[in-house]
Amino acid sequence: MTTAPGELTIHPLGGLGEIGLNCMALRTHDATVLIDCGLMFPEDYLFGVDVVIPRFEHILEQRDRIKAVVLTHGHEDHIGALPWLLPHVDVPVYGSDFTLALVAAKLYERGIEADLRPVKDGDRVEIGPFTFNFFPVCHSIIKGHALGIETPLGRVLHTGDFKIDRNPLDGHATDLEGIRRFSEPGVTLLMSDSTNVERDGFALTEREIKASLREVFDRARGRIIVTLFSSHIQRLQEIYDLAAACGRRVAISGRSLSRNIELARDLGYLRIPGGTPVEVEEIGGLKDEEVVLVVTGSQGEPLASLSRMSLDEHRSVRIKKGDLVLLSSRFIPGNVLAITKVINRLYKLGAEVLYEKVQAIHASGHAHREELRIMLETVRPKFFVPVHGEYRHLVKHSRLAVECGVAPERAFVLEDGQPITLLGQGGVRLEEAVPAERILVDGKGVGDVGQSVLKERQLLAGEGMVVLLLVVDQDTGEITLGPDIVSKGFIFEQQYAHLLEDAKCVVLEEVEEMGTANLKRLKERVRGALRRFFRRVLERDPVVVPLIIAL
Amino acid sequence: MTTAPGELTIHPLGGLGEIGLNCMALRTHDATVLIDCGLMFPEDYLFGVDVVIPRFEHILEQRDRIKAVVLTHGHEDHIGALPWLLPHVDVPVYGSDFTLALVAAKLYERGIEADLRPVKDGDRVEIGPFTFNFFPVCHSIIKGHALGIETPLGRVLHTGDFKIDRNPLDGHATDLEGIRRFSEPGVTLLMSDSTNVERDGFALTEREIKASLREVFDRARGRIIVTLFSSHIQRLQEIYDLAAACGRRVAISGRSLSRNIELARDLGYLRIPGGTPVEVEEIGGLKDEEVVLVVTGSQGEPLASLSRMSLDEHRSVRIKKGDLVLLSSRFIPGNVLAITKVINRLYKLGAEVLYEKVQAIHASGHAHREELRIMLETVRPKFFVPVHGEYRHLVKHSRLAVECGVAPERAFVLEDGQPITLLGQGGVRLEEAVPAERILVDGKGVGDVGQSVLKERQLLAGEGMVVLLLVVDQDTGEITLGPDIVSKGFIFEQQYAHLLEDAKCVVLEEVEEMGTANLKRLKERVRGALRRFFRRVLERDPVVVPLIIAL
């Protein structure tokens, strides 16, 4: 695929068809800029997979044309795949100072160097044939930007992840006025966050969340324990401020929280009121009503602080009657069972627990439907491509765009790997789709774990495995060792010793029947006979590995 | 533990601490009755487990005292464990005709015979020292009952699963008046459904759901495809009636739906309007606006009809633009990802999809908070034990009981395996807890899959396994075969041939270093060396099975 002079291609590598993996290439005939470079955490069926990243292969074929990566904000689904991209392409990475601080920490851990170039709100940066304007947006992480991009084919606006806080706490507004001015000459293309298109009205604002938290703090008589996404600096600020107002001191438990707090404070984005901080180990010396503990584990992660506390296994904090635990965070669908387990355990230890479902102590960072409408009506784009959503979100967002005046034939639902080229004069060309399968990362292996390995893991997970060992004399064909059976994850062997003996008899019968002349065929016969045997006596179907050798 | 004459013990075997597994023993000194006998479907981490059942061991120690099993309704979490109980104890099973029809089908599949005794609404049945009164309740399955139990220690009311439909469609009301009359002489103990204690107000009623469905049917121009729980006969009735009113014919796809429809129709609980039914294979001959397809798969089950349709793999139905799919069902938390995948795929095929989140086409079958309050205020019990809920639900429901006038010291939060004995004269005794771990069923194995087997399956699932085979001469100690490596679910072997060669060298180094005199120790060394090697080069940690033998 080539983009001719005078054309502009939008090539989604990830994020259009899932929440996560956000990565979009913007390309002219001789220059490509990547917007975001995110990962996705694997679903349960991806056994053993650590993270999922977009397939970069195609854009790396023309790696000399890549001019930069521009980041909208610092969430993992927007920056997390950089460690797998940057070793292959040496380009500057633009983003806010806080976004880049998160990137730097991530790259440092892996010993990767990069040319990080911080931008400030309102900055205007030329990158190849493009000029990027950085408009601050409100989101569940500080210092995010919408990108206003001046291109040879006119103006393009990429919202990044955003919501419109109608009544912002200090410094956390979405710069709608800037976006309106940018849009005045006319915007060719809008790409906008589709996450919450199914939610009516407006998202709650941080001011509303803070008021709700304030009520909770005012009522609380014992210790307050809060968990939240560790990059939600604005929410942390609210908690520090409320703690100070209530005469409570704040202790932090959890590595990612401590690190992000340090980053944000160093950059001046978090003001910790004097006298507030205290070490976790020291809270024992305070009265209960003087304590706020902020901890990791909002998703029920088994090794995080909150989960350990719920199991009474935290190194220094014991949950007790009177404790009030606040989950000031979303329940990500795949984590609901883990989170509710933690909540139930906390109740058993005597704590009271509040969460979004029972108290308004969390708000989404993504625009609801009316906010999306405001964005569409502010930008009034000629073309519209919904981004950041599962397929149904993209469909519904494109319909909303049509409601807001975009011509139906100019509102596209693109999927990962489906590039579209703007031709000028209002024309477009749908390019041939480019393979966009996701790449699975397992340890140091990138992309080698595919369907066959996953299928084997799934079978092993379901019923375990049985190794059968049999050695026959290569001259006489007589059995010299075995049959021996070793199993893992199949049965509790002590309890089923008789069954394993029977299984050996099944093997001996097969040997007797067909002899040992053709070992390959004997192996297949034995595998089949054992599987039938286990299915019959146990209704289980383990992976059977017959090792039959002539020696 | 013994219950003395003049005492009554409540012994929860399951359902108090989870949604599922409902089973409660009611015991005097010489008689036990079981209320419900349910299963739970396994969570993801229970690799290979088919179903989870309560531990019956303790009550089976005195199996001659068990007089009956009484069923409140026919959902799996109330009847599903019967096939594992009834072979051990020959007692009658009471329940409504529809409940018992479901039980009979289940037992027939497994060749189990049982003495099933149908009861009618309002029946009064003596069982040992108890007299059971069956009050109809409204729930997401027809013919459910609350149990009013006259015991030697006074009256006990067990609500079963219920909601209070204020404005019922024909014949589906909760008999609050009957319960009120039963309660008039005073109720010693109320046990009430806690599922929705966190939801304020009232659940939507079936009349409201039907009105909402009617709007959807009226607007629809193409085919309508509905999925729902296959035992929700009342909802099915609404769909048949609406279809008839709109001049549509109804086709069914899915075995459990067909079976339940047949059962309900045979018993007279489902009226299929004349001319409505049509075979799935015949809908091709109808116009789109004449079709309603009712299909299985509301939980995204991969083999059910809706999932197959979403993959365009259904044997006779192709989804097309204009189709309207209705998920008239709850999204069970563990299934949300599977369900949303199905929805996204349906959108890709051009269908429109409606579900609870975007349209009121489903209502919970469990009472919301205000309904629970009505039940408490109708019964006005002396003691209260919340049932059917996770731990936090039980805590919150017992608080609600206190709000409604139950004395705090008489509102108990019990867990599975924690019996409580009513002593008469208002006294109670908390019995020693009885082990109530759940029993895992995998194929024909009941209870043998425990922590060690599950742990192995988890390890196999995460990184696969590597079998190392090495044969040494028992006289000379020389290697006569190997090292050979077989792996499953570890790596794609073709791609990593070099790595497996290196791994063999690692083994040979160990053999060289320590010789073959002590094979047991050599095995341990080789296992350790291989694990370290794979961790270093791949950051993976498979299960390593070293087979080293002397021959």
Side-chain angles (χ1 to χ4, degrees), chain B residues 169 205-217 234-235 237-239 241-242 360-361:
Chain B
L169 287 166
T205 65
E206 281 303 317
R207 192 177 293 272
E208 288 164 315
I209 298 306
K210 188 176 178 188
S212 189
L213 285 170
R214 184 192 313 269
E215 275 178 40
V216 172
F217 272 61
Q234 171 63 30
R235 189 76 49 81
Q237 183 69 64
E238 295 158 27
I239 290 162
D241 291 346
L242 288 171
I361 58 173

Side-chain angles (χ1 to χ4, degrees), chain B residues 169-188:
Chain B
L169 287 166
D170 255 17
H172 291 88
T174 289
D175 183 12
L176 268 187
E177 181 52 27
I179 291 173
R180 195 192 55 72
R181 277 199 307 270
F182 173 82
S183 304
E184 256 170 16
V187 165
T188 304

Side-chain angles (χ1 to χ4, degrees), chain A residues 305-438:
Chain A
S305 294
L306 190 63
S307 191
R308 288 191 178 283
M309 288 177 188
S310 78
L311 291 163
D312 213 20
E313 288 173 359
H314 190 269
R315 86 193 126 72
S316 55
V317 180
R318 303 269 82 79
I319 295 292
K320 59 184 184 183
K321 201 168 157 57
D323 285 345
L324 177 63
V325 180
L326 312 178
L327 278 70
S328 185
S329 52
R330 179 173 174 238
F331 289 16
I332 293 177
N335 303 332
V336 169
L337 296 178
I339 299 169
T340 51
K341 252 181 213 171
V342 168
I343 294 174
N344 286 318
R345 285 197 215 109
L346 291 167
Y347 268 102
K348 271 190 212 177
L349 294 173
E352 180 65 39
V353 188
L354 299 179
Y355 33 99
E356 191 178 7
K357 189 177 171 186
V358 296
Q359 190 101 17
I361 58 174
H362 176 65
S364 173
H366 297 275
H368 285 204
R369 198 170 172 84
E370 286 311 303
E371 297 164 86
L372 295 176
R373 196 188 291 278
I374 290 172
M375 182 60 76
L376 278 157
E377 288 173 349
T378 302
V379 178
R380 309 181 72 80
K382 188 162 168 184
F383 292 98
F384 180 70
V385 171
V387 296
H388 208 284
E390 298 178 24
Y391 194 86
R392 69 185 187 283
H393 301 128
L394 305 180
V395 169
K396 291 177 181 184
H397 200 182
S398 77
R399 288 182 194 157
L400 180 66
V402 172
E403 271 182 40
C404 294
V406 174
E409 67 279 14
R410 289 180 181 163
F412 295 98
V413 175
L414 299 184
E415 288 185 83
D416 296 346
Q418 175 56 66
I420 191 173
T421 298
L422 307 182
L423 307 175
Q425 313 299 331
V428 296
R429 180 177 68 229
L430 269 185
E431 305 290 346
E432 201 179 330
V434 171
E437 324 91 271
R438 304 157 180 184

Side-chain angles (χ1 to χ4, degrees), chain B residues 248-310:
Chain B
R248 288 177 183 260
R249 302 183 66 187
V250 178
I252 304 294
S253 174
R255 203 172 63 93
S256 63
L257 264 171
S258 302
R259 193 197 60 183
N260 289 351
I261 287 172
E262 196 183 319
L263 290 183
R265 196 172 45 173
D266 288 350
L267 293 169
Y269 296 128
L270 185 67
R271 302 171 309 280
I272 299 185
T276 316
V278 61
E279 295 300 318
V280 173
E281 292 72 20
E282 295 167 16
I283 60 170
L286 299 172
K287 289 185 198 147
D288 290 347
E289 67 267 28
E290 294 171 350
V291 174
V292 174
L293 254 169
V294 184
V295 303
T296 51
S298 69
Q299 297 306 308
E301 303 93 326
L303 301 180
S305 295
L306 190 62
S307 192
R308 287 191 180 281
M309 287 177 190
S310 78

Side-chain angles (χ1 to χ4, degrees), chain A residues 463 534-541, chain B residues 50 442-444:
Chain A
E463 309 281 342
F534 293 132
R535 275 200 293 248
R536 181 165 52 78
V537 297
L538 270 180
E539 287 181 4
R540 291 187 197 166
D541 194 7
Chain B
D50 301 323
D442 178 5
K444 286 189 186 167

